[in-house]
Amino acid sequence: MFFIDTIEVAGLGNRSYLAGGERTAVAVDPPRDIDQVITAAARRGVRISHVVETHVHNDYVTGGLELARLTGAAYLVPAGARVSYERVPVHDGDRSEIDATAGLILRALATPGHTPHHTSYALEENGTAVAVFTGGSLLIGTVGRPDLVEPRLTEHLAQAQHASAHRLATELPDDTAVLPTHGFGSFCSSGQAEGEYTTIGKEKASNEALTRDVDTFVADLLAGLDDIPAYYTHMGPANAAGPAPVDLSPPAVANAEEIAARLAAGEWVVDLRNRVAFAEGHVVGSFNFEAEGQLATYLAWLIPWGKPVTLLAESAGQLAAAQRELVRVGIDRPAAAATGEPARWAREGEDLASFSRATFADLAGHSKDGVVVLDVRRASERSAGFIEGSVHIPIHALHRRVHEVPEGQVWVHCAGGMRAAIAASLLDAAGRDVVAVDDSFDSAERAGLTVDTL
């Protein structure tokens, strides 16, 4: 008998896996905070004998090197990946015994496309594939994007994705479980996962990589590629160099004077509370990135790389969870932190800032005189419909382009409210009169606002 445990990394839209038998197991594409993988192995009562990477990751810092060091496991990395540390180089067709008692073998399958060296791993029980860990190759209803390595390679890698998907579909039984790393919100995926579970057979019937000819597939894939988070530039080099162990101990405590000093120095002070609480009252100049949202993705995307960040949280638990999220994308140590209420974070005599929240119905009923409607969605989202007359600056570019927002009261919106709250906090910190539209964009048309397609 074998087991496969899924380790969700929801904030980044990824999954990691622990698979094995009665005694030993393999960890696949582990996140940087490896304690949860170790806990999963302890719960199963197994030793981690192997740690494998499907590729050098572009969207997060891996915990694979440290996990292998702590457990004494063999660290398997595709042979074609250029890395600076000792590892077991994996070639196509290599087999690794995971648990002899359970008859478990891990077989490497070269599946280039997401990266040139990408490798999938079929888990075989007594010679029959029962699951395949596909990393950024064949995903649920889609594939990993091919444009994260080198622009000149993108079309070639897109063609390779098609070939790799067909290789998996040809060589593996239809009932083989497909277990990808990406596809659950990660920008490493070319699309959102369609469901939570799939098999080779299901993908053969529905995945466009397997139902379309290569030319049509490649053309559609390239046309649908979205913006690349800026911090991805730093993830590959960090993973190739060998990430350092993480330190999740509490940061230094910042009082109101230090918070003010850090703001005055141009550092980022990030309020992790929910957007409703932030809008009602916050330290002047602070930014709002909700701890319950895609904190790591959007903070790492927007913050100038290496800029010191101070975290403000409502509780020690919220702070600890945020630290865990941030180390996964290379924001290793907050410069300082504070917990509690915003009144404790402002100096005596200083007022808290606030701004209004609204719906699209409110916008429809409001006078348009002196009002600027700011759309902070990505261009791919705006192409499907927008509010006539709205200004478009994607959220990831806004902090550099605040000066481009026209004069007037700014009603800022996104697709659901989270990014609008981030944008509102950036504008508020810049001294603008802002209203955060906390509503689903589907409500815009129902509210009577003119929505056209480009």
Side-chain angles (χ1 to χ4, degrees), residues 1-5 18-22 24-26 40-41 44 46 104 123:
M1 291 294 293
F2 69 92
F3 72 86
I4 299 176
D5 290 340
L18 182 73
E22 294 181 3
T24 50
V26 56
R44 288 284 186 178
V46 296
L104 294 179
L123 183 66

Side-chain angles (χ1 to χ4, degrees), residues 57-58 61 229-240 300 303-306 329-330:
H57 303 283
N58 290 293
V61 181
Y231 73 92
Y232 277 25
T233 301
H234 307 281
M235 299 297 96
N239 288 323
I303 192 170
W305 198 251
V329 292

Side-chain angles (χ1 to χ4, degrees), residues 350-374:
E350 288 185 342
D351 293 330
L352 296 175
S354 63
F355 53 76
S356 299
R357 297 168 54 252
T359 65
F360 283 109
D362 296 327
L363 176 59
H366 193 277
S367 170
K368 302 304 184 291
D369 292 340
V371 167
V372 177
V373 178
L374 176 62

